[in-house]
């Protein structure tokens, strides 16, 4: 996968702050210094899913939080990593809160990137990038619902390869936080990380 430092750069401040709060400033500085190198390594070792992949940012985002966990040799508890990610989402809550999932416009914006990806991931692209995200819209709860499913996730697969599968269910729970910041509610029945057949996204506004 092509290296991009943007997500690590964006979230290193809240990650370091949590480590400082729970340990000390010296330890936080050491882990973040190591994490920068680890992040580059794990990104470059990840499967190529296409430089122009509209959903590649999801993996680059997640790996930014895997990096300090590996840099600490898993001495940082998974729950602390989850808190890093939660705090990072609140760090940019202004970005998410621009979308209001109580409106038709907000629902369309939320689904836009997934619809763009579904259009991008042609049979030819799947042959070229066979481990990338697999998305469909089967099982729509009702007409016009903001709904989609992910039936193959490269983040989940790579987490297993890296030996950090224990982080995945915690990461998936944070989908709820992200959608909450968009004034929405995620109604979910299963995730790939918990052994389900898919990660289902059925989203309504928090006033519906």
């Amino acid at each position: 996968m092509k290296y991009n430092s943007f997500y690590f750069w964006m979230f290193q401040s809240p990650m370091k702050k949590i480590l400082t709060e729970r340990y000390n400033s010296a330890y936080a500085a050491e882990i973040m210094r190591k994490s920068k190198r680890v992040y580059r390594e794990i990104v470059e070792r990840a499967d190529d899913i296409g430089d122009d992949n509209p959903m590649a940012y999801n993996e680059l985002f997640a790996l930014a939080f895997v990096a300090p966990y590996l840099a600490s040799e898993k001495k940082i508890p998974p729950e602390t990593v989850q808190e890093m990610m939660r705090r990072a989402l609140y760090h940019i809550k202004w970005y998410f809160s621009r979308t209001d999932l109580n409106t038709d416009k907000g629902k369309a914006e939320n689904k836009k990137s997934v619809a763009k990806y579904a259009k991008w991931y042609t049979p030819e692209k799947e042959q070229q990038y066979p481990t990338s995200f697999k998305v469909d819209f089967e099982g729509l709860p009702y007409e016009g619902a903001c709904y989609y499913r992910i039936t193959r996730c490269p983040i989940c697969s790579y987490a297993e390869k890296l030996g950090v599968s224990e982080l995945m269910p915690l990461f998936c729970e944070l989908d709820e936080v992200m959608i909450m910041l968009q004034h929405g509610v995620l109604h979910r029945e299963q995730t790939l990380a918990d052994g389900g057949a898919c990660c289902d996204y059925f989203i309504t506004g928090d006033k519906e």
Side-chain angles (χ1 to χ4, degrees), residues 108-152:
E109 288 175 355
N110 180 268
K111 201 172 179 178
K112 185 177 179 180
S113 64
V114 178
K116 182 179 179 182
Y117 178 77
K119 185 177 179 181
W120 177 85
Y121 202 48
T122 61
E124 293 75 23
K125 280 287 200 301
E126 184 168 13
Q127 187 173 9
Q128 187 177 3
Y129 307 115
T131 61
S132 188
F133 296 92
K134 185 81 170 178
V135 177
D136 66 47
F137 304 94
E138 296 178 15
L140 196 67
Y142 59 84
E143 191 66 29
C146 185
Y147 177 84
Y148 55 92
R149 308 189 315 164
I150 294 177
T151 56
R152 183 174 65 225

Side-chain angles (χ1 to χ4, degrees), residues 26-56:
Y27 184 73
E30 178 190 2
I31 293 301
M32 294 312 299
R33 178 179 55 79
K34 291 180 179 178
S35 297
K36 188 175 182 180
R37 173 180 52 80
V38 171
Y39 181 65
R40 182 169 197 131
E41 289 175 355
I42 60 178
V43 168
E44 291 181 341
R45 282 164 41 201
D47 286 348
D48 180 13
I49 59 174
D51 294 344
D52 61 338
N53 187 321
M55 289 184 67

